[in-house]
Amino acid sequence: MPTDKKKYLSGNLDQIALSLSGGGVRAVGFHLGTMSMLRRLGLLHNVQILSTVSGGSMPGIGYSLAQQFGRSFQDFFDDFYEFLPELNILEKLLDGVTQRYPPTPSGRRDLITAMADVYDECYFSRFFSPYVKDGRLLFDVLMNGTGRGHLQEMIFNATEFKTGTAFRFQVSEFRCLIGNGNISICRKHAAQIRIADIMAASSCIPVGMEPLFFPDDFHWPDDGKSRRWGSRPSRPTNDEIRAALRRNTDTKEPTFALMDGGVYDNQGITSTLLALNRRKENYREQDTHECGVSMSSLGRSEPPGPEDWAKWMSGRVSSGSAYKSVGVKPEDLDLLIISDTPVRKASFYPRILFPSGAENNQPEADSREEAPKRGLLQRLGHWAKYRITLGMITFITTLLLIALSISLGIALVELWAFWDARSDEVPFGKGFFITFHVALPFLLLVQIWWLLWQYRKLRKELALKLQSLISHWDRKPKRYLKKLTVGDVIDMGLLRASSTAALTSAIYMDRIRGLGYSTAFSREDLQDKILANEIFALQKARQLDDPFIHELRAQEAWPPPPEMDRIVDIAANMQTKLWIDHEKDGPHNDLDFLVVCGQSTICYNLMRYLWEDLRNEDGSWLDPKMQGVFEHALREWKKLMDDPWSLLNDRKRKSRLTELNEHAANLAQSA
């Protein structure tokens, strides 16, 4: 019989919620591996709630569309191998930003609007538009679709900057809002949103990209096209939404900014909890008649205050003036899998080589790395970088202005003499040459003078700001500014940029992850139903020596082979990026490493969860079927132990892509 600790467990895995975290390409590959292993174990079909954030939204939306159109998992898997390894995302983005016409009808030229077009061109339209009559892949496909398969809740998370809360593009068996409890989009207009724009809104990486503004930066079916410079295309739907937002929001602003869903909840846990509440209460939110008006009932969305938030986290929602419990019962959910790809680094900062050795706190050189030899020009540039001060720049520029003025004066004298002594015998080319000789230093003189004036103006403003902050200075602030070297300014700028990036993409995200986990694990009705599938779980497992590890040893399934350790280390330490790199001296790429890591990690974590949480104290299973699932997972784990690449190669052999078939065959032959 179940113990009190397991009173919330049903003992089976028939109802699963899957949350896919953000993390760029690292998240895409790891989640793809996680889903492929769940597919092998027969558990992916049991996923009823799917919540995705940022990089996790690409496989999440892709799988949702595959379910809608009846595409096989193999086709869904092959899609990523067909376009992602060869995609030069940086070139695509730069091409989008620099093309003649802006990426959006709003006229904005920036990375995120260009990224939305890349998502549409390279993935969504490429693989799914043939299933739509007019070729337009809009949110209506999922909102009003009847072929959702086993997915009953699909939530794609962004963050809304008007109120600072999550903004959810969601589809449910129960009517739910597109937006949040403060601002929402009516179903009429939500159905017309391009799916690629939803993906872009979910993945606007802080610092790296700009916010995506709704509705201006979104593509609407009736947008006109302008081919004249300065003319504004007709945008009836966009104008209609702007007018509604101006009427129905407290700030009366016609737009609001959307950014990466990870800014609010990088695992999509709160969205999963809201979906559970909606399902348990059989609650159907009223549709909004116009964009901007939220008809959400009090208590169904995240509350604003700390006291209400604590009560909501503990499983209570507002019911009039009181609170009622909406705890997750065994029949509501069997397992919440949080597939998570946090960054693990020794340092978030780039290595800075200081100019003059240990006396300037230069770190000792790594004995394994030989310092690169510098040429004469490199040494000269390095010397100038850390010896030329801002004051010297002013002095050198002033000397240059004087030299140009003298040159201009000489040229004017020559020009005057030429025109004074001009005769028909003097060739016209000489006059043109002298005129050009006057014009060139004049233009350089004007440009350098303007740059010097701007520089001195900026330095003066900075000095005045410093003076205003602290009134008492022994010397004027501008004297200290003049002594800064060019290298100092560059290094400080780089460190500030990297610290901001680290704060938002790593430190802040880790904090958000912690809040997400605390939200779930603080609830007694959920804490035994959570499987945290973190990308570095197998790295941590190397240090463990507990009963589960002893069981694996007894089954000759531990420790993992060196090749698996290598794969996991490469995947877990991979940076957050938007492109795929190929192995220098091997046949694999980043996507291969991430997929295998995802397969191995979820297999290990699932076995541990089954062994520790779905058995009674006497070792019997809460549900006898789970013993079969455990044994199946153990067999797959042993295959990975024998050859970590075997399951990926098996998937490649079944691929529609010839190059993947050949790659798998070559690896098998070499093995």
Side-chain angles (χ1 to χ4, degrees), residues 304-318:
E307 181 180 357
D308 291 335
W309 177 269
K311 291 178 179 178
W312 181 81
M313 281 201 308
S314 64
R316 288 174 288 172
V317 298
S318 175

Side-chain angles (χ1 to χ4, degrees), residues 26 30 340-342 344 533-542 558-575 589-590 592-605 637 640-641 644-645:
R26 187 177 70 253
F30 183 76
D340 198 6
T341 58
R344 286 169 66 88
N533 188 53
E534 295 180 304
I535 193 171
F536 51 77
L538 285 173
Q539 287 181 318
K540 294 168 59 177
R542 298 169 193 166
W558 195 264
E563 180 64 6
M564 182 182 289
D565 287 342
R566 184 180 79 91
I567 293 170
V568 170
D569 287 342
I570 291 174
N573 296 320
M574 193 177 296
Q575 62 180 325
N589 58 38
D590 287 344
D592 292 334
F593 285 100
L594 290 164
V595 168
V596 174
C597 180
Q599 291 173 334
S600 306
T601 304
I602 186 61
C603 190
Y604 165 82
N605 282 328
W637 175 255
L640 292 169
M641 291 275 292
W645 300 102

Side-chain angles (χ1 to χ4, degrees), residues 260-271:
D260 195 302
V263 175
Y264 182 81
D265 178 2
N266 202 42
Q267 301 111 324
I269 294 175
T270 53
S271 297

Side-chain angles (χ1 to χ4, degrees), residues 220-239:
W220 303 101
D222 57 2
D223 282 342
K225 293 184 178 180
S226 174
R227 288 294 179 259
R228 291 186 302 168
W229 184 83
S231 62
R232 182 182 183 275
S234 61
R235 309 191 68 191
T237 299
N238 186 78
D239 294 341

